[in-house]
Amino acid sequence: MSMHRVLTTLGCALTAVVATAWSAALPSQPVRPAATTVRTTEPAATTVRTHDGPVRGATHDGYRTFEGIPYAAPPVGRLRWTPPRHPAPWSGVRDATRPAGACPQPAGEVPGGSTDEDCLHLNVTTPDGAGPARPRPVIVWLHGGGFTTGAGSSYDAHRLATRGDVVVVTVNYRLGALGFLAHRGLPGSGTFGLADQQAALRWVRAEIGAFGGDAHNVTLAGESAGGYSVCAQLASPAAAGLFDRAIIQSGPCTGRSDRPFAPSSVPLSTARAAGADLATKVGCGSTREVMACLRRVHVSRLLAHQGIDQQPSYATPLLPGDPAAAIAAGRFPRVPVLLGNNHDEGNGWAAGIVQAGHPVTPDTWPGVVASFFPAPGRTKAIVREYPVHRTDGGPVFGAVIGDANFACPTARTEDLLASQVPVWRYEFADEHAPPLTPGTPPFPPGAPHASELPYLFDLGGRPRHLTAAQHRLANTMIDYWARFARTADPNGPSSPHWPRQTVLSLAPDHIVPTRTTRARHHCAFWNALG
């Protein structure tokens, strides 16, 4: 296999792996969110009535959780690859004390993977004191995982809910080929996962008041593929009016399919070609009723043959244009935005590729660059801009991945948005952030992709070890995120001031505005390179 193919395939695979790299610590079964103190008894029950029927959740120290609530009908049988439909009401009280199954996906964040198509569920975490008489702002969280892996239940949101005094909703949505298959004549082609997210937002508008959330103050937030999903919903006419603010973490709206690390969208024609290829691989390509055949194929076979890369499709009814073009043209709702990226986004991928047996040296560096940026003339320019010396190949490769895929596209996204809506931008820069993968990396990872997540959530219900200074940073971040959700401005008396259109560097030893980030990330070079 050629170096080009090896590195490109490995890079695409690591896109999903790095986004959920902390999954190795997850137990084999979902767990309840961890309480803030050790418990010797089961949490008490609490019941809330929804329009579809009552749900019984659990009370914890300072918050309540309601897990596995269906927001759409199971997309199974004839409903596979159809837009989400309203769930059937239930009689009696539905148990909501444990998460439901994750959407179908290969092994990774979910140990052993999942083949459970009955997965369109969400989870609600609400602080004590929230109720219909005293509603709290709502944050709806869309998980990352390269549009291929992930689950809402992996994100224990009790710290965000209790310190931030907000209601948090985490969402499952269809992934991989089941979420983004496109085929000629199939309504909803390439956007079923995005349609699920909209169905969840409609559920929030209709139901969250019963849980103590303010249905008129909803912030849509996400990281990586979840962050890009927020971009897609900003660009989707069908999502207009479903949320009031947006938080985009490491999922810039100007992501491109020719850069294989950051999430992006593809034209419908490209997605249809991938769909036809999948149909052929599973034995349905030559049948008269291709979709009927595909709906009979077992989930495990679809997962085995789907592409490593998955992206939503544009030039579709739900997503008429590429989100970058839509935002550049001003075709999006005028909602305030908080967005940012991590200082060393690319280091996780670079470390993984080096550990997989592909060292980055002065001799191999031109070939590595050509594998990821194959357009003529780019290799020499990138090698000149980012020279590799004898011992620094891995970090240089990480800088190229981070700058090209995240830092500079995030700066471009800010530029496009800031001319039309209030924008606050951050750079997460804790170079000693808790590691997300086991083992010893070949070089210090710094603040790589997804490393900010343990500061907002207990991933898999298990908090990462944070130093006292890191705890303070986590609290500051939660304060910023929650105030933004509450008032559309992250600033408050207890945190350093965050000026609009100024990058705020987030690190335990310095939470300060900085205007040097763009120059440091070589964005002028990448803009000129195209």
Side-chain angles (χ1 to χ4, degrees):
M1 183 181 289
S2 69
M3 175 66 75
H4 175 99
R5 187 175 177 189
V6 167
L7 292 178
T8 302
T9 301
L10 184 58
C12 292
L14 285 168
T15 299
V17 173
V18 173
T20 54
W22 41 269
S23 64
L26 295 183
S28 58
Q29 296 294 328
V31 297
R32 293 185 181 87
T36 53
T37 60
V38 175
R39 287 189 166 274
T40 58
T41 60
E42 287 292 310
T46 180
T47 301
V48 167
R49 190 170 299 276
T50 75
H51 288 94
D52 297 315
V55 294
R56 181 181 64 252
T59 62
H60 306 270
D61 295 330
Y63 65 101
R64 298 175 294 155
T65 56
F66 302 84
E67 300 176 279
I69 303 173
Y71 67 86
V76 299
R78 293 182 178 180
L79 296 186
R80 182 189 279 183
W81 294 306
T82 65
R85 302 189 183 187
H86 197 277
W90 54 86
S91 59
V93 179
R94 185 184 182 98
D95 180 37
T97 60
R98 287 177 171 81
C103 285
Q105 58 191 278
E109 176 175 337
V110 176
S114 172
T115 59
D116 186 1
E117 290 185 84
D118 181 6
C119 65
L120 299 185
H121 301 89
L122 51 75
N123 315 287
V124 179
T125 304
T126 184
D128 284 352
R134 297 184 60 201
R136 302 302 201 268
V138 180
I139 297 176
V140 177
W141 178 257
L142 304 177
H143 67 77
F147 293 114
T148 306
T149 65
S153 58
S154 296
Y155 296 80
D156 174 352
H158 80 273
R159 288 188 290 117
L160 181 57
T162 55
R163 182 177 179 87
D165 200 26
V166 295
V167 174
V168 183
V169 180
T170 64
V171 179
N172 287 357
Y173 55 93
R174 279 174 283 183
L175 302 166
L178 289 162
F180 301 99
L181 176 84
H183 194 274
R184 189 173 301 277
L186 177 63
S189 273
T191 59
F192 299 109
L194 298 181
D196 295 341
Q197 296 168 6
Q198 293 181 4
L201 287 167
R202 287 191 291 271
W203 185 95
V204 168
R205 288 293 203 204
E207 305 287 0
I208 204 63
F211 297 85
D214 185 351
H216 303 290
N217 187 0
V218 175
T219 297
L220 184 61
E223 183 267 346
S224 195
Y228 191 79
S229 293
V230 177
C231 295
Q233 301 301 351
L234 282 169
S236 174
L242 293 180
F243 58 98
D244 307 286
R245 329 203 194 292
I247 296 176
I248 303 167
Q249 299 175 211
S250 300
C253 300
T254 53
R256 292 165 35 170
S257 59
D258 64 342
R259 298 190 181 169
F261 297 98
S264 64
S265 54
V266 295
L268 180 59
S269 58
T270 300
R272 282 178 174 170
D277 182 60
L278 176 66
T280 298
K281 288 179 177 177
V282 299
C284 294
S286 59
T287 61
R288 291 185 60 186
E289 298 292 336
V290 174
M291 290 311 306
C293 177
L294 283 170
R295 289 187 172 110
R296 292 192 297 267
V297 175
H298 193 270
V299 171
S300 60
R301 195 172 179 203
L302 293 172
L303 294 177
H305 290 284
Q306 71 181 16
I308 294 171
D309 251 352
Q310 296 290 327
Q311 297 109 343
S313 302
Y314 64 86
T316 61
L318 187 144
L319 193 59
D322 183 344
I327 290 170
R331 295 191 299 269
F332 67 96
R334 299 304 188 262
V335 300
V337 177
L338 187 156
L339 83 163
N341 59 274
N342 297 350
H343 186 276
D344 306 292
E345 291 275 5
N347 278 1
W349 284 285
I353 290 170
V354 170
Q355 286 180 310
H358 302 285
V360 179
T361 68
D363 291 335
T364 65
W365 182 224
V368 170
V369 171
S371 295
F372 291 103
F373 302 95
R378 287 186 175 182
T379 297
K380 289 183 178 180
I382 295 170
V383 169
R384 282 197 303 269
E385 183 74 11
Y386 295 84
V388 166
H389 304 290
R390 186 171 63 88
T391 60
D392 64 350
V396 172
F397 187 20
V400 169
I401 295 171
D403 292 353
N405 291 271
F406 293 97
C408 297
T410 298
R412 176 60 177 156
T413 299
E414 178 197 19
D415 289 341
L416 295 176
L417 290 167
S419 63
Q420 303 174 78
V421 298
V423 176
W424 282 266
R425 181 174 160 221
Y426 70 87
E427 180 185 69
F428 179 78
D430 184 2
E431 62 180 343
H432 301 295
L436 299 180
T437 54
T440 302
F443 56 87
H449 191 63
S451 59
E452 87 284 10
L453 292 176
Y455 293 70
L456 301 170
F457 301 96
D458 287 354
L459 301 175
R462 297 181 178 185
R464 289 296 190 271
H465 173 72
L466 299 177
T467 66
Q470 289 172 329
H471 271 294
R472 290 193 295 272
L473 173 59
N475 288 340
T476 298
M477 290 173 62
I478 288 172
D479 291 345
Y480 281 136
W481 267 236
R483 280 195 296 263
F484 177 78
R486 179 169 289 104
T487 68
D489 186 337
N491 287 295
S494 61
S495 303
H497 185 62
W498 186 347
R500 277 173 54 180
Q501 293 182 249
T502 300
V503 183
L504 193 71
S505 180
L506 299 174
D509 57 344
H510 65 273
I511 303 175
V512 295
T514 174
R515 298 183 183 274
T516 63
T517 300
R518 296 188 190 191
R520 187 167 65 246
H521 285 305
H522 307 277
C523 290
F525 167 79
W526 288 105
N527 290 338
L529 193 66

